[in-house]
Amino acid sequence: LVKHPDKIVVSYFTRLLEREMDRQDLRMSPEEQYAVFVNLADEMVSEDFTAEDHEYLKLQIAERNGKVLSRVRTLYPADSRPTIDELATKLVSHALMDRKSDDADRVGFVNDFVLGTFVGESAIISNVDEWVAAEGFVEQAVAAFSSREDNQKKTLHQKLSFAIEFLATERRINADVVLCGAIQNPLIGETITGIEFQYSVLGRPAIEDSVFFDCTFEHALIDLSGLSNVTFVGCRFYACEYKYDGEVKPRIFLTGCS
């Protein structure tokens, strides 16, 4: 599992989804339940909400998943067969859903990791070329996929690329580093604060006239030839590798770093 962190995520969701089959007598496979929640996340992104009225969510689940719910109904005995509305109620009452404290009748995903996971999955399967969403959805998807394997993270970054362009510089850099392991565009005249660069590359593409403040670099490859007039203030460097291929000494300044 350590070598394949994505399997931890799959195992977490599979156990929860299988448990709901027993707890609620929900005769939907884990894959079918998962698909329902991916559809719900897509609705949340489209309409820009993270929690809604219980009845509204039931309606959306029933409308977006009518075919699968109709098929699931046939798996029950005729004398105890639930309606589509009753199946939708089970899904809104799912362990992955929770009532929000600000309003007892508003329901959303149980936490940001679950929301981000389904938003990310929704983005990946979307057939929209320029996928867009509110900033919060993008950041939650990035955070939720941080433990996935590299190919999954890069696939998500590709789907989010248009939305990432509209993020503030530091949030855009964080998305690049988390999903791709490196800043994806040159930086000129920027101040970057509090970013963690773990197992990432710095200096490809080039960075000029910029300041890194209170950042952490851990097991990072730092290409000094790609840094020009770059200052590090209060940054921490752990087990980093440094490379320099240039002929002119790079202008790099460190203040209060360790």
Side-chain angles (χ1 to χ4, degrees):
L1 289 178
V2 174
K3 292 183 179 179
H4 301 282
D6 57 305
K7 292 184 178 180
I8 299 175
V9 177
V10 172
S11 177
Y12 166 75
F13 280 102
T14 299
R15 286 200 302 268
L16 269 176
L17 298 169
E18 288 177 342
R19 188 179 68 184
E20 287 300 286
M21 294 176 69
D22 294 330
R23 186 178 76 88
Q24 295 204 76
D25 187 24
L26 182 58
R27 302 188 182 187
M28 296 180 70
S29 69
E31 293 78 13
E32 288 171 329
Q33 294 178 58
Y34 197 89
V36 167
F37 293 122
V38 171
N39 283 337
L40 180 58
D42 181 68
E43 175 70 15
M44 289 181 170
V45 169
S46 176
E47 299 300 324
D48 193 18
F49 70 88
T50 57
E52 254 299 348
D53 177 86
H54 186 277
E55 292 298 319
Y56 177 82
L57 295 185
K58 279 173 50 181
L59 177 63
Q60 292 304 317
I61 287 174
E63 288 185 348
R64 279 178 163 254
N65 305 275
K67 288 184 178 180
V68 67
L69 294 180
S70 294
R71 190 196 63 79
V72 168
R73 289 187 67 237
T74 66
L75 302 178
Y76 293 83
D79 60 351
S80 59
R81 185 168 294 160
T83 64
I84 288 180
D85 183 75
E86 288 170 338
L87 286 174
T89 297
K90 290 176 184 285
L91 290 162
V92 175
S93 303
H94 201 282
L96 292 175
M97 306 293 289
D98 193 23
R99 295 185 183 277
K100 300 304 174 183
S101 58
D102 61 335
D103 188 334
D105 198 44
R106 285 167 54 82
V107 180
F109 286 114
V110 66
N111 56 45
D112 287 345
F113 171 74
V114 172
L115 172 61
T117 295
F118 289 127
V119 168
E121 298 283 7
S122 171
I124 287 173
I125 66 173
S126 171
N127 57 10
V128 177
D129 292 333
E130 297 182 342
W131 189 91
V132 293
E135 185 176 278
F137 289 120
V138 177
E139 293 186 326
Q140 286 157 350
V142 169
F145 271 66
S146 63
S147 61
R148 299 291 187 96
E149 289 192 333
D150 288 347
N151 63 330
Q152 294 184 48
K153 290 192 285 188
K154 289 179 180 178
T155 297
L156 179 63
H157 188 276
Q158 183 178 9
K159 292 298 295 190
L160 298 184
S161 59
F162 184 73
I164 288 173
E165 291 181 13
F166 295 95
L167 297 178
T169 300
E170 289 177 352
R171 293 178 176 180
R172 186 176 69 249
I173 289 173
N174 183 68
D176 286 349
V177 170
V178 169
L179 298 179
C180 297
I183 299 171
Q184 296 299 291
N185 297 291
L187 293 181
I188 301 176
E190 299 285 1
T191 298
I192 298 90
T193 303
I195 301 293
E196 294 185 3
F197 295 81
Q198 295 183 330
Y199 297 94
S200 57
V201 177
L202 188 73
R204 306 176 189 168
I207 301 172
E208 300 178 19
D209 304 324
S210 296
V211 177
F212 289 84
F213 178 76
D214 192 31
C215 293
T216 300
F217 300 86
E218 184 175 354
H219 295 282
L221 170 60
I222 301 177
D223 188 347
L224 301 176
S225 56
L227 306 180
S228 176
N229 197 30
V230 175
T231 301
F232 297 88
V233 180
C235 295
R236 295 158 295 282
F237 299 84
Y238 304 105
C240 293
E241 179 182 350
Y242 303 91
K243 180 179 180 180
Y244 181 63
D245 295 329
E247 297 180 357
V248 180
K249 184 177 180 180
R251 288 174 53 81
I252 300 172
F253 309 94
L254 290 87
T255 302
C257 297
S258 60

